[in-house]
Amino acid sequence: MGVYEAGGNGSNGTTTATTCNCCDMSLRCWCRWKFGNHQQQQQPQQNHHNLLHQRLVSLVFSSGFMFFLGCLVLYGSIGMFYGWLVFSKPYSRSTNVGVGLHSLGCQEDNEGSWSIGVFYGDSPFSLKPIEAVNEWRDEGAAWPVANPVVTCASLSDANFPSNFVADPFLYVQGDTLFLFYETKNSITMQGDIAVAKSTDKGATWQQLGIALDEDWHLSYPYVFNYLGQIYMMPESSQKGELRLYLALNFPLQWTLEKVLIKKPLVDSFIINHAGIYWLFGSDHSGFGTRRNGQLEIWYSSSPFGPWKPHKKNPIYNVDKSVGARNGGRPFVYDGNLYRVGQDCGETYGRRVRIFKVEVITKDDYKEVEVPLGFEEPNKGRNAWNGARYHHLDVQHLSSGKWIAVMDGDRVPSGDPVHRFILGSASLAAVTVVAVVLGVLLGAVKCIIPLSWCANYSGKRNNALLGRERSNLFSSKVRRFCSRLNRVPLCVRGKIKLYTWAGKLVLAVTIVVGVALMCTGVKYFYGGNDAEEAYPLNGHYSQFTLLTMTYDARLWNLKMYVKHYSRCSSVKEIIVVWNKGRPPRSSDLDSAVPVWIRVEDQNSLNNRFKRDPMLKTRAVLELDDDIMMTCDDIERGFNVWRQHPDRIVGFYPRLISGSPLKYRGEKYARRHKGYNMILTGAAFMDHTVAFERYWSKEAKAGRELVDRYFNCEDVLLNYLYANASSSQTVEYVRPAWAIDTSKFSGVAISRNTNVHYKIRSNCLLKFSQMYGSIAGRKWEFDGRKDGWDL
């Protein structure tokens, strides 16, 4: 990069400068970096060092290099602005109110971000997540409780820093459940065995601590009972042996009982079937063994051994997608034995697979795959188990029901490294684009320094010259460099910037550079693309999304449903259809169930109608023409869970003055306060809000709403204010929000002046009916105003 000028006069020891033609199609490459004249030194080595120094100085200050550097600075500035605009979050995530994850725990890990969920069913093949059974917990503001129930934050908040939790096993003692699982210690970066306890069928878990910590990696804590004693057989493949531990003081104190097998077995279990103890495990240390595709079986008359190998070992040594590696505890259902395997085809631990054992003897083993009946998540990375789930422990309770624990991850294995590689490749491509721009604009006339080219007539180190003559590969490289240096002038000869085609090529090159830089920034700073839910007191929950629309806004609805149904905490979507022919649910691309409620009358009051279909306490009333990020939605839901008695939303208003006048958000910000939240984008407790709206006291207000076909949100704010003297509304500032109706021309309030005049009349009427709210005012809270959480 730069203009290379050089010339040599070998007889008198002086150097003259001549301008080279980088597009000369002869065998010589007459391009080199521009050098100033220099004095000959007496000693050849010193002369060589001075020459290198002058070349370096000439390179750094050459016009081509300065252009290249300027391009990188410009693209870097664009990338920094893009990163600030899109990925910077002025608020911090938190697991509890006021407690952030800026601790040692929950660090990004190349192995993943595993967490654990609870499932229930009438059989092992009809399992449903805990949110489907509608378990409510007031103390956790979870209505209903939702998966995951144990995460890295659960353990980290209990002062046991963890990067992820995985490989869950249940141990049932009456009505108490104990959960043993692997936790990756955030300090030692090693797997330990942790334990938690639940007395409410797995809805909430008390973290008891670390049950087993050795000097090597531990995982897969298979816990079982034998003759009244409780044993644990964790994976200890790093130690090179399979160990059995006995509980001294269950569940936290264990001692080594016996080394069962001197082999580095992974994911092993023992089961008593037909009077024989069978040990299943995988040994990946053997020559020719297919990793995650191998399975071996041993048998014995006792869980303590001695263990004899099965005649057909290895049972499997196949592709890793088959499900050979164990993925949890085997179970018996209707007299049949089932083995849980894990499919590692697409990525490690992609999914669990169930195999029905048809034959198991000392000489033979046969199994066939059967469907689990588990509905895979379709919210992508926004789902806690959207990318993979690789472990299942299902057990039969004394009540006759089945309970299961399953781990899951929202990202595939190696995701951070994958993003780093793609980000680095994007930034490398930006440097190439910068060179191309220099070539097009004439700032870069040659790409490779002359000393790398063949037939270079300037001075070079004698040792290098000798090596070049004897090295065919070096000679070929120099000839390639010579040809590469002819490219710039050839390109400029074919692409004329004063033509429309040349200008188009230049514009496209600039845009490609910007796109590549933004892509690189996205991979480096954009995280894993997941817009996760925000836990409160360690619990997750879900809400119902409710919108009201009609046939002219169908395209809004389709976009709306496709986007918001992928948000992590959305359980269902209810569409209140006010006018026209309603669409079918199958016409909408949704990741959650969509219910279309067709109304007989086109009324805005239908927005707050009591509905037996509602299964969650929280309802997000969100107009179909408002688009915002799932992360903003999740933040709003978290704030509402802290204040379920309030209307929590994203559009504040300040009602004041005499006479009362309806004004926009700018007025509220200018006066640094608000006393109303528009319910076109707001969370509320439907058991409270809808009852108030349809009470006898609100009848006159509802009639006014029908008369004006407006003001239903204003009425609800008045009803809340009339019911309490404390704060009744809460504002959460979104990162951004787009009103898509502006692009379609079907906005209800297209004439802002008329819309505001009608609302001002509503304020006067409602103040006469329910009392004024003008005397109320709450300042914008920086914590919920988007700056912290």
Side-chain angles (χ1 to χ4, degrees):
M1 293 154 287
V3 181
Y4 305 137
E5 299 176 355
N9 188 338
S11 61
N12 56 12
T14 62
T15 302
T16 61
T18 61
T19 303
C20 63
N21 183 350
C22 292
C23 201
D24 187 356
M25 301 309 292
S26 66
L27 292 177
R28 290 180 171 230
C29 174
W30 293 104
C31 299
R32 59 185 144 187
W33 301 102
K34 185 191 298 181
F35 303 120
N37 293 333
H38 66 277
Q39 294 183 343
Q40 290 279 357
Q41 301 295 324
Q42 293 181 355
Q43 297 181 1
Q45 186 173 0
Q46 184 67 32
N47 188 11
H48 176 66
H49 289 165
N50 288 341
L51 184 63
L52 289 178
H53 174 73
Q54 292 179 27
R55 289 182 178 182
L56 180 61
V57 171
S58 179
L59 168 63
V60 171
F61 291 100
S62 66
S63 60
F65 184 80
M66 296 303 292
F67 176 86
F68 173 73
L69 189 62
C71 279
L72 293 186
V73 170
L74 178 60
Y75 277 131
S77 300
I78 294 174
M80 290 176 62
F81 176 74
Y82 171 76
W84 172 82
L85 186 66
V86 177
F87 302 118
S88 65
K89 295 181 180 179
Y91 49 86
S92 59
R93 281 188 165 267
S94 62
T95 54
N96 299 312
V97 181
V99 179
L101 276 182
H102 302 103
S103 61
L104 293 174
C106 295
Q107 302 172 20
E108 187 173 58
D109 197 291
N110 200 47
E111 292 187 67
S113 57
W114 296 94
S115 50
I116 298 171
V118 173
F119 298 77
Y120 304 100
D122 295 327
S123 78
F125 301 100
S126 62
L127 298 173
K128 302 294 182 184
I130 189 171
E131 54 265 26
V133 301
N134 218 25
E135 286 282 339
W136 287 28
R137 288 295 179 275
D138 287 336
E139 64 276 9
W143 311 288
V145 177
N147 280 327
V149 295
V150 178
T151 67
C152 63
S154 307
L155 207 55
S156 298
D157 290 343
N159 297 318
F160 301 99
S162 171
N163 277 8
F164 63 78
V165 294
D167 292 355
F169 282 100
L170 285 172
Y171 188 83
V172 182
Q173 279 188 341
D175 294 331
T176 302
L177 302 177
F178 291 93
L179 179 69
F180 292 85
Y181 58 91
E182 173 197 352
T183 170
K184 186 169 183 179
N185 190 301
S186 301
I187 300 174
T188 65
M189 303 303 288
Q190 174 183 284
D192 300 325
I193 304 303
V195 60
K197 181 177 74 172
S198 175
T199 56
D200 54 7
K201 298 180 181 179
T204 60
W205 293 89
Q206 175 190 357
Q207 299 300 322
L208 301 180
I210 303 300
L212 193 58
D213 179 8
E214 296 284 16
D215 293 333
W216 52 88
H217 173 83
L218 297 174
S219 61
Y220 207 84
Y222 182 73
V223 182
F224 63 97
N225 188 296
Y226 176 67
L227 299 180
Q229 299 290 331
I230 303 175
Y231 296 90
M232 182 198 302
M233 189 178 67
E235 179 194 316
S236 303
S237 60
Q238 197 176 88
K239 180 68 174 174
E241 55 194 28
L242 184 62
R243 296 178 144 218
L244 185 66
Y245 293 82
L246 171 67
L248 294 179
N249 186 11
F250 186 83
L252 287 174
Q253 293 184 11
W254 302 80
T255 185
L256 177 63
E257 178 74 8
K258 188 176 182 180
V259 175
L260 298 181
I261 297 179
K262 286 278 189 179
K263 295 189 73 172
L265 296 182
V266 299
D267 296 354
S268 305
F269 65 76
I270 296 174
I271 187 171
N272 185 350
H273 185 71
I276 300 176
Y277 286 90
W278 304 92
L279 190 155
F280 288 64
S282 299
D283 180 8
H284 296 156
S285 63
F287 178 77
T289 299
R290 296 195 177 187
R291 188 172 182 82
N292 298 323
Q294 198 258 17
L295 179 66
E296 298 181 5
I297 299 179
W298 292 262
Y299 60 91
S300 175
S301 59
S302 165
F304 303 110
W307 294 97
K308 299 178 181 179
H310 195 279
K311 184 179 179 180
K312 286 192 172 182
N313 274 350
I315 302 299
Y316 288 119
N317 190 25
V318 292
D319 185 82
K320 57 186 177 181
S321 65
V322 171
R325 181 169 177 169
N326 292 322
R329 187 191 304 270
F331 59 89
V332 176
Y333 179 67
D334 282 348
N336 297 310
L337 176 63
Y338 295 87
R339 184 183 71 86
V340 183
Q342 55 176 298
D343 173 358
C344 298
E346 301 169 37
T347 181
Y348 170 71
R350 174 60 187 89
R351 61 175 60 85
V352 297
R353 304 175 74 171
I354 305 299
F355 299 90
K356 179 181 177 181
V357 179
E358 294 189 326
V359 177
I360 179 169
T361 66
K362 298 177 182 179
D363 301 319
D364 197 11
Y365 180 81
K366 291 181 181 179
E367 63 181 18
V368 294
E369 185 174 1
V370 296
L372 174 59
F374 173 71
E375 184 176 344
E376 291 205 15
N378 51 8
K379 293 188 178 184
R381 296 193 176 195
N382 288 350
W384 68 276
N385 57 348
R388 48 184 180 160
Y389 53 96
H390 83 327
H391 185 100
L392 172 70
D393 183 13
V394 55
Q395 297 202 28
H396 201 188
L397 299 176
S398 58
S399 62
K401 300 289 185 178
W402 290 78
I403 186 172
V405 286
M406 181 187 293
D407 61 10
D409 194 359
R410 65 180 71 252
V411 296
S413 179
D415 184 67
V417 172
H418 177 71
R419 297 200 313 268
F420 178 81
I421 293 174
L422 292 178
S424 300
S426 298
L427 296 185
V430 170
T431 63
V432 175
V433 170
V435 174
V436 173
L437 282 176
V439 169
L440 292 175
L441 295 174
V444 175
K445 297 181 180 177
C446 291
I447 301 174
I448 304 299
L450 177 59
S451 58
W452 295 12
C453 300
N455 300 312
Y456 169 55
S457 59
K459 292 192 174 185
R460 281 208 302 266
N461 186 284
N462 291 331
L464 292 177
L465 282 170
R467 198 176 302 130
E468 177 187 343
R469 295 189 187 100
S470 61
N471 192 323
L472 181 60
F473 175 75
S474 175
S475 179
K476 289 184 177 180
V477 169
R478 289 182 178 278
R479 283 198 295 271
F480 171 77
C481 293
S482 299
R483 294 186 180 97
L484 187 61
N485 266 340
R486 299 167 187 161
V487 172
L489 197 56
C490 295
V491 170
R492 290 195 299 274
K494 294 183 179 180
I495 300 176
K496 307 296 184 181
L497 291 185
Y498 56 82
T499 65
W500 282 107
K503 292 177 181 179
L504 179 62
V505 170
L506 181 64
V508 170
T509 304
I510 294 173
V511 171
V512 168
V514 172
L516 287 171
M517 175 56 73
C518 293
T519 301
V521 170
K522 174 180 177 293
Y523 282 122
F524 277 119
Y525 300 107
N528 57 23
D529 284 339
E531 295 180 284
E532 306 176 34
Y534 290 78
L536 181 65
N537 299 323
H539 300 111
Y540 291 87
S541 189
Q542 291 186 323
F543 62 87
T544 300
L545 191 61
L546 191 148
T547 190
M548 186 168 60
T549 190
Y550 61 104
D551 53 358
R553 297 160 67 101
L554 182 58
W555 80 275
N556 284 69
L557 180 65
K558 289 184 176 181
M559 183 168 53
Y560 175 100
V561 169
K562 182 176 181 178
H563 172 64
Y564 288 116
S565 68
R566 269 74 180 177
C567 295
S568 180
S569 298
V570 174
K571 181 180 180 69
E572 295 177 334
I573 297 177
I574 294 180
V575 178
V576 180
W577 195 263
N578 263 357
K579 185 177 69 175
R581 183 178 178 180
R584 295 170 297 183
S585 297
S586 57
D587 294 335
L588 305 173
D589 180 6
S590 178
V592 299
V594 178
W595 309 101
I596 300 177
R597 194 179 78 206
V598 181
E599 299 291 349
D600 297 328
Q601 180 184 356
N602 184 13
S603 169
L604 295 181
N605 291 319
N606 294 332
R607 178 193 293 274
F608 304 118
K609 184 178 289 187
R610 288 166 289 196
D611 192 337
M613 292 293 294
L614 289 170
K615 301 181 180 66
T616 64
R617 181 171 169 182
V619 168
L620 172 58
E621 294 273 1
L622 187 62
D623 289 347
D624 64 336
D625 53 11
I626 294 177
M627 297 298 292
M628 61 179 68
T629 66
C630 285
D631 185 70
D632 284 333
I633 297 296
E634 296 294 347
R635 284 195 302 117
F637 183 42
N638 184 273
V639 172
W640 177 84
R641 291 176 67 193
Q642 300 171 39
H643 308 286
D645 58 330
R646 302 176 186 177
I647 300 174
V648 177
F650 303 93
Y651 291 92
R653 295 291 185 268
L654 179 61
I655 307 304
S656 63
S658 181
L660 293 177
K661 186 177 181 181
Y662 184 86
R663 301 176 178 88
E665 183 175 337
K666 290 183 179 179
Y667 178 81
R669 294 217 170 265
R670 191 163 58 247
H671 289 78
K672 300 179 180 180
Y674 64 98
N675 52 18
M676 179 184 291
I677 293 293
L678 301 188
T679 59
F683 286 93
M684 61 194 70
D685 182 349
H686 77 90
T687 63
V688 174
F690 293 7
E691 288 296 327
R692 288 177 180 173
Y693 196 87
W694 289 93
S695 64
K696 292 181 180 180
E697 293 77 11
K699 183 178 180 181
R702 295 196 303 272
E703 292 174 350
L704 189 68
V705 169
D706 281 335
R707 188 186 316 155
Y708 287 139
F709 202 74
N710 204 323
C711 305
E712 81 287 356
D713 50 351
V714 178
L715 173 58
L716 187 65
N717 274 269
Y718 269 87
L719 295 175
Y720 261 74
N722 189 48
S724 174
S725 59
S726 59
Q727 184 172 350
T728 56
V729 291
E730 192 77 49
Y731 169 62
V732 178
R733 184 176 182 175
W736 54 264
I738 299 176
D739 184 354
T740 59
S741 67
K742 305 300 183 184
F743 308 108
S744 63
V746 293
I748 295 176
S749 54
R750 279 175 287 180
N751 191 320
T752 302
N753 292 331
V754 174
H755 178 64
Y756 277 28
K757 184 177 180 181
I758 294 175
R759 285 180 164 251
S760 295
N761 291 335
C762 290
L763 293 176
L764 296 174
K765 297 289 186 180
F766 291 152
S767 295
Q768 295 172 3
M769 296 177 185
Y770 310 109
S772 177
I773 64 173
R776 297 169 175 245
K777 180 180 176 181
W778 292 279
E779 294 184 359
F780 290 103
D781 185 350
R783 292 176 64 252
K784 302 177 184 68
D785 197 22
W787 311 118
D788 192 13
L789 185 65

